[in-house]
Amino acid sequence: MVAETLHPSRVRLFSPARAWVRRVLVDKLREAGDPLGNGAVVMEAFRYAMFCLLVLMCFGERLDEPAVRAIAAAQRDWLAFVAKNPSVFAFWPALTRRLFRRRLQAGLDARRRQKELFVPLINDRRDRKKQLSESAAAAATAATKKDTTFEHAYVDTLLDLRLPNEEDGHDRALTDDEMANLCSEFLTAGTDTTSTALQWIMAELVKNPSIQAKLHAEIESTCNNDDDHDEVTEDDTHAMPYLKAVVLEGLRRHPPAHFLLTHKAGEDVEVGGYTIPKGAAVNFTVAEMGWDAREWDRPMEFVPERFLPGGEGDGVDVTGSREIRMMPFGAGRRICAGLGVAMLHLEYFVANLVREFEWKEVPGHEVDLTETQEFTTVMKKPLRPILVPRRNQTTPTPH
């Protein structure tokens, strides 16, 4: 995944996909607008758009809305099972599998549904791969067969993998079950985290209109105030230091995951005067690191300027290679594999959403930054802003 699908050269291949999803998201937000001025609930649109993008990156196919929503529903069912039940079945499995057989069946049904949806898409890529390898003519036909089919997909890399087979000593391909499970992980890792971070950042921009105005000015300056400049591109975002500062401050103040996956000490070790014994479970308090008053001035305030040159966060490395003052993606060898693409998606969508709309607070219904825990740490009261179009509306995009 890291060497192929998430490599920068591969990620650039998905720029048409990002542009399509941007148009889908803008259309969804326009549809969600309330003519009575009560604001639009935007999180559902964020989740749907991110899911469209991750499904396309996974399977290499631009699917219609019913197909995307069917995959999203199957993913939700599986995550609901995983969130509630694994510890039950880990205790005395021979007994709990019998006592809670209905729960177990629900999990098996969720996996079966995923496979029903994923395997036909995997087979389409398998057939395409076979066509591309047969002849140049077939390759040209396959490459131009459908304008919804993309050159690269995560599934392509899974089809190329070979695992050692201990029984006969020959390498084997991944099974359909294994590929379906890996596709499920791919979709899970990149959807809720990004849509959650996007909602928190946009909530802060609604709550802080002066910051939003400063960001909008940078975007328009970079795009030369040109309405024909259809989108803020990935190359455009490279020239926007304040945009990067806004995203970093959003991740510092509102990391989607307040804890990383639990680690375990491999040996006895001293940390800050405490002995961590070998085998002890270790949790990293990601949010509290970013809110540490010993490291950050006014840590609970949203101040993107701290990440500009000369600010206290100037040069902060979110990978933790030099020092760790915030670690929204973890650090070290177990750092999030999707760090680069997550930052790209956040910068791209924040910039385009601010360019497309002015995000305003609903009078009498101020933004509430109270948190609640779901799969990620989300807003307890979902963001519901008034969206004022800044540019001429375009024809709605087919979903």
Short mmCIF file of all heavy atoms in Angstrom, two decimals, residues 248 296 306-323 325:
data_model
loop_
_atom_site.label_atom_id
_atom_site.label_comp_id
_atom_site.label_asym_id
_atom_site.label_seq_id
_atom_site.Cartn_x
_atom_site.Cartn_y
_atom_site.Cartn_z
N LEU A 248 -2.79 22.09 10.08
CA LEU A 248 -1.98 21.61 11.20
C LEU A 248 -2.59 22.00 12.54
O LEU A 248 -2.63 21.20 13.48
CB LEU A 248 -0.56 22.16 11.10
CG LEU A 248 0.35 21.51 10.06
CD1 LEU A 248 1.65 22.28 9.93
CD2 LEU A 248 0.63 20.05 10.42
N TRP A 296 2.81 24.55 24.28
CA TRP A 296 2.04 25.44 23.41
C TRP A 296 1.45 26.60 24.20
O TRP A 296 0.89 26.41 25.28
CB TRP A 296 0.90 24.67 22.74
CG TRP A 296 1.35 23.47 21.96
CD1 TRP A 296 1.35 22.17 22.37
CD2 TRP A 296 1.86 23.47 20.62
NE1 TRP A 296 1.83 21.36 21.38
CE2 TRP A 296 2.14 22.13 20.29
CE3 TRP A 296 2.10 24.47 19.67
CZ2 TRP A 296 2.67 21.77 19.05
CZ3 TRP A 296 2.61 24.10 18.43
CH2 TRP A 296 2.90 22.77 18.13
N ARG A 306 0.49 30.12 14.71
CA ARG A 306 1.60 29.50 15.45
C ARG A 306 2.45 28.61 14.53
O ARG A 306 3.59 28.31 14.84
CB ARG A 306 1.07 28.72 16.65
CG ARG A 306 0.30 27.48 16.34
CD ARG A 306 -0.06 26.69 17.62
NE ARG A 306 -1.34 27.10 18.20
CZ ARG A 306 -1.46 27.58 19.44
NH1 ARG A 306 -0.39 27.73 20.21
NH2 ARG A 306 -2.65 27.92 19.90
N PHE A 307 1.87 28.18 13.38
CA PHE A 307 2.61 27.31 12.46
C PHE A 307 3.24 28.08 11.29
O PHE A 307 3.83 27.46 10.41
CB PHE A 307 1.68 26.22 11.91
CG PHE A 307 1.34 25.17 12.94
CD1 PHE A 307 0.12 25.20 13.59
CD2 PHE A 307 2.25 24.18 13.27
CE1 PHE A 307 -0.20 24.25 14.55
CE2 PHE A 307 1.94 23.22 14.22
CZ PHE A 307 0.71 23.25 14.86
N LEU A 308 3.12 29.40 11.29
CA LEU A 308 3.78 30.20 10.27
C LEU A 308 5.23 30.47 10.66
O LEU A 308 5.60 30.30 11.83
CB LEU A 308 3.02 31.52 10.07
CG LEU A 308 1.60 31.40 9.51
CD1 LEU A 308 0.95 32.78 9.43
CD2 LEU A 308 1.61 30.73 8.14
N PRO A 309 6.08 30.88 9.71
CA PRO A 309 7.49 31.17 10.05
C PRO A 309 7.60 32.14 11.22
O PRO A 309 6.94 33.18 11.25
CB PRO A 309 8.03 31.79 8.76
CG PRO A 309 7.21 31.17 7.68
CD PRO A 309 5.82 31.02 8.28
N GLY A 310 8.42 31.75 12.19
CA GLY A 310 8.60 32.56 13.39
C GLY A 310 7.66 32.22 14.52
O GLY A 310 7.86 32.66 15.66
N GLY A 311 6.60 31.44 14.24
CA GLY A 311 5.67 31.03 15.27
C GLY A 311 6.21 29.89 16.11
O GLY A 311 7.20 29.23 15.73
N GLU A 312 5.54 29.61 17.21
CA GLU A 312 6.04 28.57 18.11
C GLU A 312 5.99 27.18 17.49
O GLU A 312 6.71 26.27 17.91
CB GLU A 312 5.21 28.57 19.41
CG GLU A 312 3.73 28.30 19.17
CD GLU A 312 2.93 28.24 20.45
OE1 GLU A 312 3.48 27.78 21.47
OE2 GLU A 312 1.77 28.66 20.45
N GLY A 313 5.14 27.02 16.48
CA GLY A 313 5.04 25.73 15.81
C GLY A 313 5.80 25.66 14.50
O GLY A 313 5.70 24.66 13.78
N ASP A 314 6.55 26.71 14.19
CA ASP A 314 7.32 26.74 12.95
C ASP A 314 8.30 25.56 12.92
O ASP A 314 9.11 25.39 13.82
CB ASP A 314 8.09 28.06 12.85
CG ASP A 314 8.87 28.18 11.55
OD1 ASP A 314 8.61 27.39 10.63
OD2 ASP A 314 9.75 29.07 11.47
N GLY A 315 8.19 24.74 11.88
CA GLY A 315 9.11 23.61 11.76
C GLY A 315 8.69 22.37 12.51
O GLY A 315 9.44 21.38 12.52
N VAL A 316 7.51 22.39 13.17
CA VAL A 316 7.05 21.20 13.87
C VAL A 316 6.90 20.05 12.87
O VAL A 316 6.32 20.22 11.80
CB VAL A 316 5.71 21.46 14.59
CG1 VAL A 316 5.04 20.14 14.98
CG2 VAL A 316 5.93 22.29 15.82
N ASP A 317 7.44 18.92 13.22
CA ASP A 317 7.43 17.76 12.34
C ASP A 317 6.40 16.76 12.87
O ASP A 317 6.62 16.14 13.91
CB ASP A 317 8.83 17.14 12.33
CG ASP A 317 8.91 15.88 11.50
OD1 ASP A 317 7.99 15.65 10.70
OD2 ASP A 317 9.88 15.13 11.65
N VAL A 318 5.27 16.60 12.14
CA VAL A 318 4.22 15.71 12.63
C VAL A 318 4.62 14.24 12.55
O VAL A 318 3.93 13.39 13.09
CB VAL A 318 2.89 15.93 11.89
CG1 VAL A 318 2.32 17.30 12.19
CG2 VAL A 318 3.05 15.73 10.39
N THR A 319 5.74 13.94 11.87
CA THR A 319 6.19 12.55 11.83
C THR A 319 6.96 12.17 13.08
O THR A 319 7.20 10.99 13.33
CB THR A 319 7.10 12.29 10.61
OG1 THR A 319 8.34 13.00 10.77
CG2 THR A 319 6.43 12.73 9.32
N GLY A 320 7.38 13.17 13.89
CA GLY A 320 8.10 12.88 15.12
C GLY A 320 9.55 12.48 14.91
O GLY A 320 10.19 11.93 15.81
N SER A 321 10.11 12.76 13.73
CA SER A 321 11.49 12.35 13.46
C SER A 321 12.50 13.19 14.22
O SER A 321 13.61 12.72 14.50
CB SER A 321 11.78 12.42 11.96
OG SER A 321 11.63 13.75 11.48
N ARG A 322 12.14 14.44 14.56
CA ARG A 322 13.06 15.29 15.32
C ARG A 322 12.64 15.41 16.78
O ARG A 322 13.46 15.27 17.68
CB ARG A 322 13.11 16.70 14.67
CG ARG A 322 13.71 16.71 13.28
CD ARG A 322 14.03 18.13 12.83
NE ARG A 322 12.84 18.96 12.76
CZ ARG A 322 12.08 19.06 11.66
NH1 ARG A 322 12.39 18.37 10.57
NH2 ARG A 322 11.03 19.86 11.64
N GLU A 323 11.39 15.70 17.01
CA GLU A 323 10.85 15.80 18.36
C GLU A 323 9.35 15.55 18.26
O GLU A 323 8.78 15.58 17.18
CB GLU A 323 11.10 17.19 18.97
CG GLU A 323 10.44 18.31 18.18
CD GLU A 323 10.60 19.67 18.82
OE1 GLU A 323 11.08 19.73 19.96
OE2 GLU A 323 10.22 20.67 18.19
N ARG A 325 5.90 16.99 19.55
CA ARG A 325 5.08 17.98 20.25
C ARG A 325 3.60 17.78 19.91
O ARG A 325 2.73 18.30 20.58
CB ARG A 325 5.53 19.39 19.89
CG ARG A 325 6.97 19.69 20.32
CD ARG A 325 7.42 21.07 19.87
NE ARG A 325 6.62 22.10 20.48
CZ ARG A 325 6.59 23.37 20.04
NH1 ARG A 325 7.29 23.72 18.97
NH2 ARG A 325 5.85 24.27 20.64
#
